[in-house]
Amino acid sequence: MNNKLQLGKGRIVGKYSEKGKENGKWFGEFEDSEENYSKFLTECKRVLKKSTGHIYIMFDSYSLLSLGGVVRKYFEVKNLITWDKVNIGMGHYFRRRHEYVIFATNGNTRKIKNRKFPDVWRFKRIHNSDYPTQKPVEVFQAMIYASSENGFTVCDPFLGSASSAIAAIKNNCNFIGCDISDKSIEVSTTRIAEYIKSGNDLLQKNSMAVEENIFWE
Ligand SMILES: C[S@@+](CC[C@H](N)C(=O)[O-])C[C@H]1O[C@@H](n2cnc3c(N)ncnc32)[C@H](O)[C@@H]1O
């Protein structure tokens, strides 16, 4: 996304001046060319269970337009979900308030948990996080609650601050996560260990849900 947004002062994460600095709010970006993305999806397809696997892929508006269609070559796209972050963010024209999530299966027809979930999700964004682009646990809880059963394995290859791991634990799932950033692994290891030990989430104290929770009990 940042490649497409080199106008103006704002970038999505951090300041230009912080790039490359040890404690700067930057992380390595996944190159969003079609070739790179196809390699990534090939690997996702290889590891995702054929009989039961569900995949959720997050996009901003830019990457959805350029890469969203590529997903169809690998998976059966069932929904385009809008995550409404409730509060507006940055933007030089209309200010961004949402991200997209493609939900797809790996050639199977396994359904989600029930049919009452809408394709617009309202969870507030996280402000001033320790790790850039930390997403609310609830976004991942919605995915995992809808798609998993006890003992399923969840994999997040772009772990970041481990919000997905906390959601997996809450849903009694096994979890595999990885990230190219050392800082992510450090933050995630500490967060997961503390959550398992005490039930205390070090990085998100309050729920980001804004209305009655329809996703999980
Ligand atoms: C948008 S952030 C993920 C945020 C995460 N969902 C959270 O809630 O904290 C994307 C992550 O992808 C990682 N990343 C970028 N390129 C990567 C790569 N090639 N392999 C693995 N991780 C990568 C970055 O270090 C960053 O932590």
Side-chain angles (χ1 to χ4, degrees):
M1 176 164 60
N2 286 339
N3 287 339
K4 314 280 186 304
L5 289 169
Q6 288 177 356
L7 290 170
K9 288 193 184 126
R11 277 199 161 202
I12 300 309
V13 178
K15 298 180 183 139
Y16 286 101
S17 56
E18 289 177 342
K19 194 168 190 177
K21 289 193 181 161
E22 201 180 330
N23 293 317
K25 286 196 160 200
W26 282 88
F27 49 71
E29 286 164 358
F30 183 78
E31 190 209 321
D32 64 348
S33 66
E34 189 167 332
E35 190 193 356
N36 196 38
Y37 203 63
S38 295
K39 277 190 204 158
F40 166 65
L41 292 177
T42 302
E43 292 303 301
C44 291
K45 194 167 177 69
R46 181 177 66 77
V47 299
L48 188 63
K49 278 214 157 84
K50 287 214 170 25
S51 51
T52 50
H54 286 175
I55 185 166
Y56 292 83
I57 313 177
M58 305 193 71
F59 290 92
D60 58 73
S61 319
Y62 297 87
S63 54
L64 181 77
L65 288 173
S66 54
L67 298 176
V70 183
V71 179
R72 281 219 167 101
K73 292 186 191 159
Y74 296 84
F75 298 105
E76 277 159 42
V77 174
K78 303 292 184 196
N79 286 109
L80 177 60
I81 295 159
T82 302
W83 166 29
D84 175 357
K85 302 179 182 183
V86 184
N87 300 311
I88 52 174
M90 291 188 290
H92 297 292
Y93 296 95
F94 296 101
R95 288 172 62 183
R96 285 178 287 278
R97 210 181 84 173
H98 75 288
E99 283 186 32
Y100 292 113
V101 183
I102 286 185
F103 165 63
T105 67
N106 194 7
N108 62 70
T109 54
R110 191 173 72 85
K111 298 280 191 283
I112 57 171
K113 192 155 281 169
N114 64 51
R115 295 183 59 207
K116 65 180 182 179
F117 305 140
D119 63 358
V120 177
W121 299 352
R122 298 188 76 218
F123 300 118
K124 283 185 281 182
R125 68 173 76 236
I126 306 249
H127 284 291
N128 301 321
S129 54
D130 277 359
Y131 192 83
T133 75
Q134 179 189 333
K135 294 183 170 58
V137 169
E138 287 77 12
V139 170
F140 300 105
Q141 271 192 278
M143 299 174 190
I144 296 171
Y145 182 78
S147 278
S148 75
E149 291 166 25
N150 285 349
F152 270 34
T153 297
V154 174
C155 175
D156 182 354
F158 303 102
L159 180 63
S161 62
S163 295
S164 54
I166 302 296
I169 296 166
K170 287 186 177 191
N171 281 277
N172 300 318
C173 287
N174 302 308
F175 185 80
I176 299 168
C178 55
D179 199 290
I180 207 166
S181 146
D182 291 342
K183 183 168 179 189
S184 157
I185 301 305
E186 189 188 312
V187 165
S188 298
T189 308
T190 309
R191 184 181 186 187
I192 293 166
E194 181 62 31
Y195 190 76
I196 290 173
K197 192 175 90 183
S198 67
N200 178 24
D201 183 350
L202 293 172
L203 297 191
Q204 188 186 324
K205 298 294 175 205
N206 301 312
S207 168
M208 293 293 132
V210 289
E211 51 208 11
E212 197 188 336
N213 182 10
I214 50 164
F215 286 98
W216 59 92
E217 328 305 334

